[in-house]
Amino acid sequence: MSRWKAPHTTLLAAALVAASIPLTAPFPARAATPRALASGPVNPGFETGDLTGWTVTDGTAFGPGAVSTATTYWGGPFHHRGGHHLWGYAAAGDDATGTLASSTFAAPTRLSFLVSGGWDPERLQVALVRDGDGARLLTQTGIDDEAYLRVVWDTTPWRGQAVHLEVVDRKTGGWGHINLDDVRVGDAAARDDNGLTFRTLGQANQPTATRDRTADPLRPQFHYTPYQGWINDPNGLIQWRGRHQLFSQHYPGAPKWGPMHWAHADSPDAVHWRELPVALAPRAPATTADNSGIFSGSAVDDDGTLTVAYTRFTDAAAHPGATPETVEIATSADGTTFTPGTEVISQPPPGSTAGFRDPKLFRDPVDGRWKMVVGSGDAGRGKVHLYASDDLRTWTYSGVLAEGDGTTGAMWECPDLFPLDGKWVLLHSTNEGGQSLQRYAVGTYDGSRFTAERHGILDGGGDLYAGQSYRDDSGRRLMTAWMSDWNAKEPTRIGGWAGAQALHRELFLTADGRLGQRPVAAADTLASGPSTTVKDKTVQGSWRIGRGDAVRLRAVLDLTRTTADTVTLRLKASTAEATVLRYEKTTGTLTLDTTDAGYGTPATYTTHAVPAADGTLALDVLVDRSSVEVFTGDGAALTARTYPRYRESDAVEFTTGSGRLRLKSATLIPLGSAVLTD
């Protein structure tokens, strides 16, 4: 269980996002006005530098100091419009509360605005309020981030009625504020000043009875995501009775970390997923702040019984004197219904001050016994503990399997030990200087100790963590991971969900001993519609191969006939934004740049790509609505979540500066949904 950052969570069962449910008005209705109604609120972007046109109806959260000229905060730029915006933190911090109301205007057919700040649908919201009866027609909260997102509302049902906006702050403590900027009405609400069309976030993406997974333009179509709520680490990966099982750390009550459950999905091919009922749930909380839950773990087949081991986390603040992390075993005869957990390790071993979690079970070919590796750390050095058992119930501590030198994180989470191509591989996830990394080591194992011969970072991108692998029925070593990290922005909270699992990957050792990866072969079955293929194509300047928000590009670059030193591939591209992939011939550096990719984390990620012996470089790039996964022919990878602002940001195009690019071949394949409904 990735637990480096455990944000405060508000328990909400019925309202995951406040975007279309009318709420009782806490303030008196305004008197109807006989004069002609304005077409929009006065001072819609606070460009007067003060609260002209807006009225503080109570509290101190929105005093004069709330109108800010700040362009950046501790996590990057605000991305506001113009010179001013309403920063709910600026006037009086997180503990202040209050309400701010706009001037009255006639409800248009469409209204949009920029919103940011804390996530709390009940206590933090921008609301469209009808003057006549004070009814809250639409509401929207923030996403626990200061960077603005554009919310677009269809207000046609109330067209012409007298309405106003209210900015409501009823929350104190962390993220106890909400921000607003650039209110737009009519055609301007849907189209930006640059002529591009805003992606429709907010009202249109809320939960429906039909569980429509296509409505939200940020929801991946061929990656597993929760319909609502939060997921992080994948758990319990196994192929059992022919079907691939995927469990995930899950909090169904909000699109934020909370008391952990295990979500469950299964698949016939490790690509297409059928959502199943929650498999494991925590005990009833002792207090409203009790975050006790079921952390990460693994699964094995014990003579036909699906058996899972996991960390039972007990929140010591709510349960004084309890051991925070223990190991439990649960079983299932049908693959969906599990017995109550039985504790098998009640205390961590000495030298576990940084934590003790994420048990991974495996049958050890060295001595034929069951083994378990558990992540830990002590005195700034991450480590992995090893246990042995004959029956999965009684465990003996074998000692420290492997330990860091202090430079690779103070806690090694989600360990995984397995044989591969004549060697042994140890996976572990670390947080180093605020950066989440999926590390691996290749070496030897003698039944009690792992000796590393080579270390590496499995994926050079910013969004791959808590990887877990399993051997499938055909003998492949498959792996998936949480396609995010603890520093990542989560724009999808606007739609009530957060988190996605990476596409399943097949692991292998490269000729030079690195741990390589490639998309699972069944990803080919995602193809949907006609593809575009070119061969022996020369690109000089810019060339677009096609468009699509869920596509796969398979290209072979002929570097022997490419004169440009830097070759660029623009993904999710429009005139205003793109996720950029660059390859530099002279250095072999492959860079994934999300600096101007839209919402999300602006960053550059790099890895090294080695051309084949014939001088070609193969690229396999999978683009989903809010992710990019890049694989090279030599097994390197870059993964990042990206969230375009505009509908037009779906082009795939090659560019060169000086010189030319020679493509031996390139194929753009539209991809379909991976959701199974039966």
Side-chain angles (χ1 to χ4, degrees):
M1 165 64 201
S2 316
R3 184 100 162 81
W4 171 63
K5 180 180 179 183
H8 173 70
T9 305
T10 302
L11 299 177
L12 294 170
L16 295 178
V17 173
S20 59
I21 304 174
L23 302 176
T24 302
F27 307 111
R30 293 186 174 195
T33 175
R35 59 184 173 80
L37 294 175
S39 59
V42 173
N43 199 15
F46 304 95
E47 290 306 300
T48 62
D50 56 24
L51 293 176
T52 297
W54 297 78
T55 302
V56 175
T57 57
D58 73 78
T60 60
F62 302 109
V67 177
S68 176
T69 59
T71 58
T72 61
Y73 64 102
W74 51 90
F78 279 100
H79 294 302
H80 62 288
R81 295 299 179 92
H84 300 81
H85 59 108
L86 183 75
W87 187 12
Y89 182 84
D94 276 334
D95 288 333
T97 61
T99 306
L100 182 70
S102 77
S103 60
T104 293
F105 58 97
T109 56
R110 198 156 28 195
L111 183 148
S112 76
F113 53 89
L114 294 173
V115 66
S116 63
W119 185 93
D120 190 325
E122 291 186 340
R123 296 181 292 174
L124 295 172
Q125 51 183 241
V126 176
L128 181 66
V129 181
R130 184 161 53 203
D131 284 18
D133 58 5
R136 269 174 157 64
L137 306 174
L138 294 167
T139 65
Q140 179 63 58
T141 190
I143 64 166
D144 278 3
D145 187 24
E146 304 287 27
Y148 283 105
L149 277 76
R150 172 72 56 179
V151 167
V152 180
W153 283 344
D154 178 1
T155 52
T156 303
W158 310 285
R159 182 180 181 181
Q161 296 181 24
V163 295
H164 65 279
L165 290 173
E166 284 183 350
V167 188
V168 179
D169 178 355
R170 291 278 175 257
K171 183 178 181 181
T172 60
W175 286 112
H177 67 276
I178 191 163
N179 314 323
L180 177 69
D181 192 31
D182 197 38
V183 179
R184 296 176 174 228
V185 297
D187 291 341
R191 191 172 295 275
D192 206 349
D193 301 339
N194 57 19
L196 299 179
T197 310
F198 296 121
R199 293 196 175 219
T200 304
L201 307 182
Q203 173 193 5
N205 308 315
Q206 302 316 303
T208 64
T210 59
R211 299 175 71 84
D212 184 357
R213 290 176 176 266
T214 64
D216 188 338
L218 299 184
R219 185 185 292 277
Q221 295 301 285
F222 58 90
H223 292 83
Y224 175 74
T225 63
Y227 180 64
Q228 289 284 275
W230 163 279
I231 63 168
N232 53 287
D233 306 0
N235 299 152
L237 299 182
I238 190 174
Q239 188 171 6
W240 188 72
R241 296 184 181 176
R243 292 185 71 87
H244 300 262
Q245 308 295 317
L246 170 63
F247 302 89
S248 302
Q249 289 286 276
H250 176 48
Y251 179 49
K256 300 169 61 175
W257 190 92
M260 285 291 101
H261 300 54
W262 273 27
H264 188 195
D266 73 353
S267 169
D269 58 6
V271 170
H272 295 85
W273 296 99
R274 175 184 64 165
E275 191 168 31
L276 296 170
V278 168
L280 301 174
R283 302 182 183 107
T287 68
T288 57
D290 186 359
N291 276 323
S292 300
I294 297 174
F295 281 3
S296 294
S298 56
V300 292
D301 185 340
D302 183 21
D303 293 329
T305 298
L306 183 60
T307 303
V308 298
Y310 55 85
T311 301
R312 167 73 69 177
F313 169 67
T314 304
D315 188 341
H319 302 269
T323 301
E325 293 172 318
T326 60
V327 177
E328 293 186 353
I329 293 281
T331 62
S332 176
D334 60 8
T336 56
T337 304
F338 285 82
T339 62
T342 300
E343 186 178 273
V344 295
I345 301 178
S346 61
Q347 294 287 334
S352 304
T353 57
F356 177 70
R357 53 183 174 268
D358 314 333
K360 178 64 187 288
L361 301 172
F362 66 100
R363 180 73 83 171
D364 192 342
V366 176
D367 58 14
R369 304 182 73 196
W370 289 111
K371 297 292 174 70
M372 176 197 297
V373 290
V374 186
S376 187
D378 185 54
R381 300 159 69 97
K383 65 172 65 173
V384 177
H385 295 295
L386 181 67
Y387 288 79
S389 174
D390 293 319
D391 61 1
L392 291 170
R393 301 301 186 277
T394 302
W395 291 88
T396 302
Y397 180 55
S398 301
V400 176
L401 174 80
E403 186 173 11
D405 61 4
T407 64
T408 58
M411 168 70 195
W412 285 3
E413 296 188 303
C414 305
D416 188 0
L417 180 68
F418 54 88
L420 183 67
D421 300 341
K423 291 288 186 179
W424 282 80
V425 176
L426 176 65
L427 299 179
H428 58 280
S429 298
T430 67
N431 288 283
E432 303 168 32
Q435 184 178 12
S436 300
L437 298 174
Q438 178 62 63
R439 288 191 170 272
Y440 75 87
V442 178
T444 61
Y445 166 66
D446 62 6
S448 61
R449 184 78 181 178
F450 173 81
T451 302
E453 298 170 347
R454 180 164 191 153
H455 298 270
I457 296 173
L458 185 59
D459 189 297
D463 292 303
L464 197 86
Y465 193 77
Q468 187 176 125
S469 76
Y470 65 109
R471 186 178 184 272
D472 76 349
D473 291 348
S474 65
R476 299 175 300 176
R477 176 59 58 170
L478 302 183
M479 186 206 80
T480 190
W482 180 32
M483 197 164 58
S484 189
D485 80 80
W486 287 113
N487 281 331
K489 298 177 182 296
E490 298 288 353
T492 64
R493 282 197 183 109
I494 210 94
W497 63 276
Q501 307 299 16
L503 187 74
H504 270 49
R505 305 164 181 214
E506 183 179 358
L507 301 179
F508 61 93
L509 293 186
T510 65
D512 61 354
R514 293 177 294 108
L515 183 60
Q517 56 200 305
R518 54 181 165 248
V520 64
D524 291 350
T525 65
L526 290 166
S528 175
S531 60
T532 300
T533 299
V534 298
K535 294 188 176 182
D536 297 322
K537 170 76 174 179
T538 298
V539 177
Q540 191 158 11
S542 179
W543 173 67
R544 178 178 298 169
I545 187 172
R547 323 184 68 102
D549 61 5
V551 295
R552 184 178 191 178
L553 175 69
R554 308 187 81 163
V556 179
L557 283 58
D558 185 349
L559 300 179
T560 65
R561 301 174 66 186
T562 294
T563 61
D565 183 59
T566 300
V567 175
T568 299
L569 179 60
R570 299 182 76 243
L571 308 163
K572 300 176 180 285
S574 67
T575 56
E577 59 189 3
T579 300
V580 177
L581 182 68
R582 291 189 297 269
Y583 181 70
E584 298 176 12
K585 280 178 56 179
T586 53
T587 64
T589 301
L590 188 67
T591 300
L592 189 62
D593 187 343
T594 64
T595 303
D596 295 311
Y599 305 123
T601 305
T604 55
Y605 309 107
T606 63
T607 190
H608 190 75
V610 180
D614 63 357
T616 60
L617 178 67
L619 295 175
D620 193 353
V621 183
L622 292 108
V623 178
D624 211 338
R625 288 184 176 181
S626 58
S627 68
V628 172
E629 292 169 287
V630 179
F631 301 89
T632 68
D634 68 324
L638 293 166
T639 300
R641 298 295 303 276
T642 63
Y643 310 88
R645 290 181 171 87
Y646 304 109
R647 293 183 185 177
E648 294 85 354
S649 298
D650 64 353
V652 179
E653 51 197 28
F654 291 91
T655 65
T656 63
S658 59
R660 64 180 181 271
L661 161 66
R662 183 68 173 181
L663 288 169
K664 186 173 181 179
S665 63
T667 301
L668 187 68
I669 308 163
L671 301 183
S673 171
V675 176
L676 296 177
T677 57
D678 57 3

